[in-house]
Each structure stands twice: as structure tokens, then as C-alpha cells.
Amino acid sequence: MKPVILFDGVCNLCNHVVDFVLRHEAGPEFRFAASQSPAGRRLMEQAGISADDVSRSIYVLEDGRVDSKSTAVLRIARRLRFPWRLAYGFVVVPRPPRDWCYGLISRNRYRWFGTREVCRLPAKEERDRFLEDESPSPAL
């Protein structure tokens, strides 16, 4: 099962990250779910993620493993094409300072980057990559 990136669907920064991943991933590595979608809410419940947590963090769900914050970002970077995958090298930085930087951006992202009225709608060629209402949730 491909990993799922669970993201805040109304956050402009989060949506730009999804677009970036779609453009730069090494292959069709990820599936995506907005935390506000029914599929996203089911995944959150299955993974034991509170709705409040999703508003502050991106998650990567794969094979029963849940990564968040800077660790999730680094797991995503590891699956991107060169040179973007080099960002995975930041894994040598201890998690507390990485997560502090992540938290600073997360707390200010709506103010700095804005929000959308509705969640991102995938383009026709991306629809099979996004978990939505009609898509069954993958098993964690």
C-alpha cells in the first residue's frame, strides 16, 4: 500500500506542498487525503489522530506507522527526485529543533500563506491519487 499524506485541505501552504510532491516525486509514490474529507477523517480516526492535531501537522501514514511534523516532511523528501531528496539529510538534526522550526511555520501558515474556502480538488489526471468520499480508506 502506498503511503498517504494527510494534509490540511484549506491551507494554501499545505496545498502547495501537495502540488510540489506531485511534480517532484520519484514515481507515483504517495496518495493524498485532505483532513477535512470523509476519507481523511476515517484515516485520522483509524490512526488515533485528533482533529486538533491535523490542523497543526502534516502526517504520513504507511503500514501502521504514523509520522508527523518534521519527520513526515523528511519521509516525503526521501521519496522525491534529485536534488530534492537531499533534504532528507536533515534527519541528522535532532527532532526537537526540527519540530520547533516546523511548529513556527505551522502556527503562522494561515497568516503567511492564507487559506481557501474549500479543499483542493484534484485535476482529472490526479483523481486516483486522492482519497475522497467514494474511495475506501486503506488499511493502516
Side-chain angles (χ1 to χ4, degrees):
M1 179 67 61
K2 291 182 182 182
V4 177
I5 297 175
L6 187 60
F7 67 99
D8 181 349
V10 298
C11 168
N12 282 335
L13 175 61
C14 301
N15 281 283
H16 288 301
V17 168
V18 169
D19 291 339
F20 184 87
V21 170
L22 285 165
R23 282 192 316 272
H24 297 288
E25 63 189 332
E29 299 282 336
F30 295 101
R31 298 189 74 191
F32 305 89
S35 58
Q36 295 86 351
S37 72
R41 287 192 300 271
R42 280 192 304 273
L43 286 169
M44 290 165 37
E45 185 178 314
Q46 289 173 1
I49 301 168
S50 131
D52 293 337
D53 288 343
V54 172
S55 68
R56 294 184 309 251
S57 187
I58 191 168
Y59 287 86
V60 175
L61 312 171
E62 183 177 22
D63 298 330
R65 179 176 167 171
V66 179
D67 287 312
S68 65
K69 301 181 182 180
S70 65
T71 301
V73 171
L74 292 175
R75 285 196 61 212
I76 292 167
R78 184 172 52 186
R79 293 179 179 211
L80 299 178
R81 290 191 307 264
F82 183 83
W84 306 109
R85 73 174 43 164
L86 295 175
Y88 184 71
F90 283 103
V91 75
V92 300
V93 175
R95 187 173 182 158
R98 286 191 336 238
D99 281 351
W100 182 87
C101 291
Y102 181 96
L104 177 68
I105 295 167
S106 178
R107 285 188 303 276
N108 293 291
R109 71 185 192 277
Y110 288 168
R111 183 176 24 185
W112 294 345
F113 302 99
T115 60
R116 301 171 177 214
E117 291 294 317
V118 296
C119 290
R120 178 193 197 284
L121 294 174
K124 185 193 283 190
E125 63 275 4
E126 301 168 343
R127 284 191 190 133
D128 63 329
R129 308 277 304 282
F130 284 77
L131 302 173
E132 297 175 339
D133 299 350
E134 69 278 1
S135 301
S137 295
L140 296 176

